[in-house]
Amino acid sequence: MSNDQTMRGQAAANTPQWQKSDHQHYLHPFTDHRELGEKGTRIITRADGVYIWDSEGRKILDGMAGLWCVNLGYGRQELIDAATRQLQELPYYNSFFQCTHPPAVELAQLLGELSPEGFNHSFFTGSGSEANDTQVRLVRRYWDLAGQPSKMTIIARKNAYHGSTVAGASLGGMSAMHKQLVMPVPGIVHIEQPYHFDLGGGLSPAEFGVQQARLLEQKINELGAENVGAFIAEPVQGAGGVIIPPETYWPEIQRICRQYDVLLIADEVITGFGRLGQWFASTHYGIEPDLITFAKGVTSGYLPLGGTLVSGRVAELVIAEGGEFAHGFTYSGHPAACAVAVANIRILRDEGIIDRVREELAPYFSQQWASLASHPLVGEARSIGLVGAVEIVADKGTRERFHKDLGAGTVCRDACIENGLVMRAVGDTMIVSPPLVITHEQVDELVEKAWKALDATAAALGAAHA
Ligand code: PXG
């Protein structure tokens, strides 16, 4: 028996022990702990390429690239080597008090080269949430320096996800999070999202896109443009259910932001670093944001790193006016995380992975994913780049959903695992966002497994109905 096999054997033997200890000591993110205690946890012990393995030896195709982040797939030795080298040379130093270090400088320069025109500065954080907190601070600092301190309010969208810090959760439009937040950060307001499947009514996607974008204009007029500093949005909503706006949405948003002099923040934590076949989805949609939030794919999740890309308009004022920007984190520009990001970006660039997503992989994925639309349970199958969603419905014609208590999405998620696939459920919307290195055969495997899981879901819900 190889060492590897022995270790796996031990992990399997330890499964009940890990589960018990987990329940006794570990508070998980976004989790109902009583329910988790009853069901038990799945223990993920290793991963390679697009697959993960659990402690019982089950091989599972990771349709979510971890949590939308493992863009290069698991097991890339170059990233492990970059982290190891940096940890040996300089495991930690800060960028406060007139100091800097090579990995942070190198990463900031590289980001300047590959980000959309006009972006030459980066601020680093440890996560996407902290990066969005930074955006709030930057927006307010910018308008203060610009002599318009009343431009304080930030407009965001319902069902958006911008993180789980207090500012991140306030920017996000998740009602369950707001309820537990008790008091969202003042000066953040929300407008409705461009979710055509759920909210489109009889409108064509094109009409609906313009209508939903004009909600921003209405809100700006209601508040007074002199009080509105920024609009923040994900180019494609991720955690909200892979909501792909109609093509008419972003051009209209851009027009409105320009007309009323409102900064545009593109939260590209999910869409950045190749997910839509471009370094940034802003390029895909032809929009020119003033600030971009990134995290996740910048390191393929191997080490935590986030940040904001700051366009010339904002950076120049913040720099030229002088005065301290009173914001920063111990781990802003962590050397090992930056070294991994540099290695990750070089691989994405030198192996042409993002071009392959755009030109070859996304068209194939889109065609295969679309075939799920003919499943009796599916009201819509949509995708863009390498993200996809299917809407589970009780009635394809009327788009009527199953009763909430049936938990159709959760039933399907569990059936996916049974079939060796990670697919995430957002209510009754099933979503995938696989590693960018997935092959055509693995796309076929993903879609076949999703179909089987939908069959199992239909059977289970049929039984529940009877
Ligand atoms: N912005 C967006 C668009 C995100 O998707 C964040 C900010 C926050 O990043 P951090 O690194 O602070 O988590 C995210 C994170 C889910 C899920 O259930 C999605 C995220 C995080 C956790 C769960 O789909 N996205």
Side-chain angles (χ1 to χ4, degrees):
M1 223 195 240
S2 72
N3 253 356
D4 240 27
Q5 283 169 316
T6 316
M7 275 170 59
R8 252 170 274 151
Q10 277 167 2
N14 284 338
T15 299
Q17 251 169 303
W18 283 118
Q19 286 175 325
K20 188 167 163 223
S21 202
D22 179 88
H23 184 55
Q24 283 173 342
H25 303 291
Y26 184 18
L27 288 176
H28 293 227
F30 284 95
T31 292
D32 175 338
H33 282 86
R34 195 172 65 191
E35 191 183 272
L36 185 71
E38 284 157 14
K39 285 187 168 174
T41 39
R42 177 174 311 286
I43 299 155
I44 307 303
T45 50
R46 71 184 187 98
D48 189 34
V50 299
Y51 296 99
I52 56 173
W53 279 262
D54 71 13
S55 58
E56 281 159 342
R58 191 197 307 258
K59 180 182 176 186
I60 305 166
L61 174 56
D62 185 4
M64 282 306 294
L67 204 45
W68 321 82
C69 53
V70 188
N71 289 10
L72 274 188
Y74 299 94
R76 283 301 296 235
Q77 193 57 42
E78 299 92 325
L79 303 196
I80 300 162
D81 291 343
T84 308
R85 266 197 311 274
Q86 189 56 47
L87 289 171
Q88 283 164 343
E89 206 163 294
L90 179 74
Y92 177 77
Y93 206 73
N94 64 68
S95 310
F96 292 54
F97 322 127
Q98 263 186 286
C99 291
T100 191
H101 49 70
V105 178
E106 213 177 344
L107 177 59
Q109 187 182 333
L110 203 49
L111 288 171
E113 286 164 23
L114 58 85
S115 56
E117 176 120 5
F119 284 88
N120 274 308
H121 289 87
S122 296
F123 187 97
F124 296 127
T125 67
S127 69
S129 302
E130 290 170 11
N132 280 327
D133 275 49
T134 302
Q135 302 289 30
V136 173
R137 304 291 302 279
L138 271 172
V139 166
R140 292 179 176 172
R141 175 83 176 139
Y142 172 80
W143 287 114
D144 199 24
L145 290 172
Q148 297 182 69
S150 68
K151 277 177 96 69
M152 274 266 296
T153 299
I154 299 177
I155 301 176
R157 301 184 301 185
K158 292 182 183 165
N159 196 36
Y161 190 79
H162 296 298
S164 200
T165 51
V166 172
S170 301
L171 290 170
M174 301 288 176
S175 50
M177 290 173 80
H178 287 181
K179 232 191 256 167
Q180 292 183 8
L181 201 55
V182 183
M183 177 120 109
V185 169
I188 294 173
V189 299
H190 297 83
I191 58 172
E192 192 51 89
Q193 54 180 331
Y195 190 1
H196 184 260
F197 185 80
D198 256 13
L199 307 173
L203 294 182
S204 70
E207 291 165 338
F208 179 71
V210 173
Q211 174 192 284
Q212 295 308 89
R214 294 213 174 132
L215 296 176
L216 175 61
E217 191 163 35
Q218 284 165 25
K219 186 56 87 180
I220 293 171
N221 284 325
E222 187 187 311
L223 298 167
E226 70 283 8
N227 297 316
V228 180
F231 173 64
I232 183 168
E234 304 151 82
V236 171
Q237 282 154 268
V242 181
I243 293 156
I244 305 165
E247 288 297 324
T248 51
Y249 182 76
W250 276 111
E252 186 65 1
I253 291 282
Q254 178 78 73
R255 174 194 69 78
I256 294 164
C257 287
R258 287 217 177 104
Q259 185 173 331
Y260 296 91
D261 202 14
V262 164
L263 296 175
L264 176 57
I265 309 171
D267 182 343
E268 298 238 20
V269 165
I270 284 176
T271 53
F273 299 94
R275 182 64 44 207
L276 265 57
Q278 299 282 354
W279 285 100
F280 294 94
S282 296
T283 307
H284 173 90
Y285 284 111
I287 48 174
E288 294 173 3
D290 301 288
L291 296 157
I292 293 176
T293 315
F294 64 88
K296 294 192 190 273
V298 66
T299 58
S300 284
Y302 281 48
L303 283 177
L305 179 77
T308 83
L309 292 171
V310 185
S311 71
R313 173 182 178 177
V314 177
E316 277 155 26
L317 190 67
V318 168
I319 295 166
E321 288 295 312
E324 182 175 312
F325 177 42
H327 176 70
F329 304 101
T330 303
Y331 300 123
S332 284
H334 188 282
C338 289
V340 168
V342 168
N344 178 62
I345 289 169
R346 289 208 176 117
I347 294 174
L348 286 171
R349 185 189 61 193
D350 298 346
E351 294 186 5
I353 288 170
I354 296 177
D355 296 337
R356 179 174 163 258
V357 169
R358 184 179 61 253
E359 280 153 28
E360 192 241 311
L361 201 47
Y364 186 72
F365 174 71
S366 146
Q367 173 200 319
Q368 299 305 94
W369 187 257
S371 70
L372 293 171
S374 56
H375 193 281
L377 221 53
V378 173
E380 179 178 85
R382 57 176 179 269
S383 76
I384 186 164
L386 273 193
V387 278
V390 291
E391 301 282 4
I392 297 181
V393 290
D395 184 322
K396 277 171 92 86
T398 62
R399 300 183 166 187
E400 190 199 340
R401 302 271 189 187
F402 284 98
H403 192 282
K404 234 175 102 217
D405 292 350
L406 291 172
T410 312
V411 172
C412 185
R413 186 187 71 187
D414 292 347
C416 283
I417 292 286
E418 285 308 309
N419 280 285
L421 172 67
V422 175
M423 181 151 76
R424 169 145 156 46
V426 178
D428 288 352
T429 310
M430 303 308 299
I431 58 180
V432 291
S433 172
L436 308 185
V437 296
I438 193 167
T439 63
H440 284 207
E441 293 69 38
Q442 289 163 341
V443 168
D444 294 346
E445 182 187 338
L446 187 156
V447 172
E448 269 164 39
K449 286 179 167 172
W451 186 283
K452 278 192 195 146
L454 286 162
D455 280 347
T457 307
L461 293 176
H465 261 325

